[in-house]
């Protein structure tokens, strides 16, 4: 059972509730482009997981089969122990994800949003499978069965959704034991006083125990984001940006030792010769301005509607993924990734965005033909009629005179 897929409708229901809370309280914690970018990263992460999760699950199952020291029974206390054990491992995975370059390259995606709302919770990496699974192998050695591991991992992730909000204040005694919206807001801050703090997923006790806890302070309002801004709405680039920076620095370094160790050094470390010749500019926090690209209401509405089709398509893909081969899933991933790239280009108002959209719409029908041939979509005329109608509607929107484009109310 895919708990994350089952939770998707509730995610969007709670996002709608948070938007309503924004309006009732007269505040604005959402910007459409930033939210779509966060959601796009989440959709891409789920699609990528169809290709990569097998690495983590099979790696864990192999370790359990050959290295476990005991066989734990299927009892309630084992599930509780596994839930706490998982969060302990998550703490160290998360902490080192902030403290080492190669791990930060994966995790940085989750922190790039300069807003903080429930869509930020869904902003997940597509490359975490590369090394993240290693941190949970102690659970396999201890004898936690794979099914229990997978389930508590999903529950841990689901818990973290609700703490990504600015509408919930401090919660008194709760703050001493559990991760709350207040102490997780600290974690997403780029203020020096808050950086690299509060790593727990469910329990904040680990941070209090290992000296990484920081309370949210009234005198230091949180500024969200990262010190080297992404400045893009492209979810593919969001996943690759820091890897690309590390690669460029490694190539530019004169020392082979620096080229190797840069990947495993503390986050932000760069070879001295590279840092001197190619400094990385970090904006002054006092003069911080959120990344924004001016768009008409019609452009925003078009992007939101197009993105909705990828949410629906990816959800359908997740539902049938277990019946598909790796080649089919790779093809579906390309469809998702290309579509989200196009939406990102549209939100950035790139000069080629309209031509790219026309190409994407033209590829819809061949994509449907392929999906029916491989069994992803049921055969028949209804999917063709629906897709043709949607593509024609979208194309008409594209060619509509710019000054007369439909406007969002």
């Amino acid at each position: 059972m895919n708990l994350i897929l089952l939770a998707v409708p509730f995610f969007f229901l709670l996002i709608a509730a948070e938007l309503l809370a924004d309006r009732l309280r007269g505040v604005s914690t959402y910007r459409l482009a930033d939210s779509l970018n966060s959601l796009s990263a989440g959709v891409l992460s789920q699609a990528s997981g169809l290709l990569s999760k097998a690495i983590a699950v099979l790696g864990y199952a192999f370790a359990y089969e050959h290295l476990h020291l005991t066989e734990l029974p299927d009892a309630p206390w084992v599930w509780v122990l596994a839930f706490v054990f998982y969060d302990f491992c998550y703490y160290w995975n998360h902490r080192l994800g902030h403290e080492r370059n190669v791990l930060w390259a994966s995790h940085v995606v989750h922190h790039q949003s300069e807003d903080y709302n429930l869509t930020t919770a869904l902003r997940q990496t597509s490359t975490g499978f590369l090394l993240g699974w290693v941190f949970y192998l102690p659970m396999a050695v201890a004898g936690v069965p794979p099914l229990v591991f997978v389930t508590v991992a999903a529950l841990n992730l689901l818990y973290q959704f609700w703490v990504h909000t600015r509408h919930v204040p401090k919660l008194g005694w709760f703050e001493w034991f559990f991760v709350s919206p207040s102490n997780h807001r600290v974690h997403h801050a780029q203020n020096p006083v808050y950086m690299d703090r509060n790593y727990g997923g469910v329990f904040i006790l680990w941070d209090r125990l290992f000296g990484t806890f920081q309370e949210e302070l009234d005198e230091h309002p949180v500024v969200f984001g990262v010190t080297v801004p992404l400045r893009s709405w492209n979810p593919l680039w969001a996943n690759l940006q820091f890897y690309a920076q590390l690669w460029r620095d490694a190539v530019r370094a004169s020392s082979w030792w620096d080229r190797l160790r840069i990947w495993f050094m503390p986050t932000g470390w760069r070879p001295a010769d590279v840092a001197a010749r190619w400094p990385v500019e970090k904006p002054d926090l006092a003069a911080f301005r959120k990344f924004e690209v001016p768009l008409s209401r019609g452009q925003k509405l078009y992007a939101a509607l197009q993105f909705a089709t990828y949410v629906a398509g990816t959800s359908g893909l997740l539902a049938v993924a277990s019946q598909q081969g790796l080649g089919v899933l790779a093809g579906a991933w390309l469809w998702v990734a290309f579509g989200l790239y196009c939406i990102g280009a549209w939100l950035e108002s790139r000069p080629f965005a309209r031509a790219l959209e026309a190409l994407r719409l033209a590829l819809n029908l061949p994509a449907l033909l392929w999906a029916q041939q491989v069994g992803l979509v049921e055969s028949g005329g209804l999917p063709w009629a629906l897709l043709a109608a949607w593509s024609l509607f979208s194309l008409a929107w594209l060619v509509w005179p710019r000054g007369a484009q439909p406007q969002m109310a």
Side-chain angles (χ1 to χ4, degrees), residues 84-94 135-136 138-139:
V84 176
F85 196 172
Y86 182 92
D87 200 63
F88 176 76
C89 296
Y90 175 87
Y91 170 86
W92 288 105
N93 179 20
H94 197 182
F135 290 87
Y136 303 99
M139 296 181 67

Side-chain angles (χ1 to χ4, degrees), residues 34 37-42 45 90 94 97-98 103-128 156-157 159-165 179 184-189 197-201 224-226 230 235 237-243:
D34 185 274
N37 187 233
S38 291
L39 293 172
S40 293
S45 176
Y90 175 87
H94 197 182
H98 281 253
L103 297 176
W104 176 243
S106 172
H107 183 60
V108 66
V109 179
H110 184 60
H111 286 266
Q112 290 164 338
S113 175
E114 294 168 351
D115 294 324
Y116 190 76
N117 51 57
L118 292 177
T119 67
T120 311
L122 303 179
R123 187 186 185 97
Q124 298 293 327
T125 178
S126 293
T127 63
N156 188 284
L157 187 61
Y159 175 90
Q160 295 181 49
F161 178 75
W162 79 282
V163 302
H164 291 81
T165 183
V179 173
H184 200 65
R185 287 192 289 269
V186 165
H187 179 69
H188 277 259
R197 293 291 185 268
N198 300 359
Y199 296 113
F224 299 103
V226 289
L230 175 65
W237 180 238
N239 278 277
L240 296 175
Q241 180 202 33
F242 200 71
Y243 287 110

Side-chain angles (χ1 to χ4, degrees), residues 15-310:
I15 288 170
E18 188 176 40
L19 284 166
L20 178 61
D22 269 18
R23 174 158 293 192
L24 292 176
R25 299 181 65 182
V27 298
S28 179
T29 62
Y30 280 80
R31 291 177 300 146
L32 185 128
D34 185 274
S35 296
L36 285 186
N37 187 233
S38 291
L39 293 172
S40 293
V43 170
L44 184 65
S45 176
Q46 287 296 307
S48 301
L50 297 176
L51 301 174
S52 62
K53 281 183 180 177
I55 296 175
V57 174
L58 291 176
Y60 184 93
F62 181 87
Y64 174 80
E65 181 69 24
H66 297 280
L67 300 176
H68 70 270
L69 300 178
T70 184
E71 292 188 9
L72 297 176
D74 186 10
W77 70 267
V78 172
W79 287 82
V80 174
L81 173 66
F83 187 78
V84 176
F85 196 172
Y86 182 92
D87 200 63
F88 176 76
C89 296
Y90 175 87
Y91 170 86
W92 288 105
N93 179 20
H94 197 182
R95 179 171 175 172
L96 289 175
H98 281 253
E99 295 181 353
R100 287 294 178 266
N101 272 333
V102 69
L103 297 176
W104 176 243
S106 172
H107 183 60
V108 66
V109 179
H110 184 60
H111 286 266
Q112 290 164 338
S113 175
E114 294 168 351
D115 294 324
Y116 190 76
N117 51 57
L118 292 177
T119 67
T120 311
L122 303 179
R123 187 186 185 97
Q124 298 293 327
T125 178
S126 293
T127 63
F129 70 95
L130 293 173
L131 293 171
W133 61 277
V134 175
F135 290 87
Y136 303 99
L137 293 183
M139 296 181 67
V141 175
V144 176
L147 177 61
V148 177
F149 166 73
V150 171
T151 305
V152 298
L155 292 174
N156 188 284
L157 187 61
L158 288 173
Y159 175 90
Q160 295 181 49
F161 178 75
W162 79 282
V163 302
H164 291 81
T165 183
R166 296 173 64 182
H167 286 286
V168 178
K170 292 183 179 180
L171 298 176
W173 65 266
F174 188 90
E175 306 266 336
W176 278 89
F177 304 98
F178 299 98
V179 173
S180 70
S182 176
N183 55 47
H184 200 65
R185 287 192 289 269
V186 165
H187 179 69
H188 277 259
Q190 56 173 304
N191 313 54
V193 68
Y194 294 141
M195 286 183 64
D196 300 330
R197 293 291 185 268
N198 300 359
Y199 296 113
V202 173
F203 302 106
I204 202 66
L205 290 170
W206 314 124
D207 292 283
R208 295 183 182 277
L209 181 62
F210 297 114
T212 54
F213 176 75
Q214 172 60 55
E215 183 180 4
E216 186 177 18
L217 305 172
D218 292 337
E219 61 269 29
H220 292 286
V222 173
V223 179
F224 299 103
V226 289
T227 57
V228 180
L230 175 65
R231 304 194 65 79
S232 171
W233 303 132
N234 181 343
L236 299 177
W237 180 238
N239 278 277
L240 296 175
Q241 180 202 33
F242 200 71
Y243 287 110
Q245 178 184 318
L246 290 176
W247 176 259
R248 285 195 299 265
D249 286 352
V251 170
R252 290 166 172 170
S254 58
S255 164
W256 279 99
W257 173 234
D258 284 347
R259 293 178 183 180
L260 175 63
R261 67 176 176 152
I262 185 175
W263 302 90
F264 307 100
M265 291 295 284
T267 305
W269 182 91
R270 305 175 72 207
D273 57 334
V274 175
R277 294 185 62 189
W278 293 279
V280 173
E281 180 181 353
K282 294 187 177 182
D284 181 3
L285 194 63
F288 175 75
R289 294 292 181 272
K290 295 179 180 180
F291 175 65
E292 192 66 88
V293 177
L295 296 170
S296 70
R297 291 182 178 180
Q299 287 175 301
K300 292 178 180 179
L301 179 57
Y302 178 86
L305 291 174
Q306 297 302 322
F307 175 73
T309 65
Y310 286 89

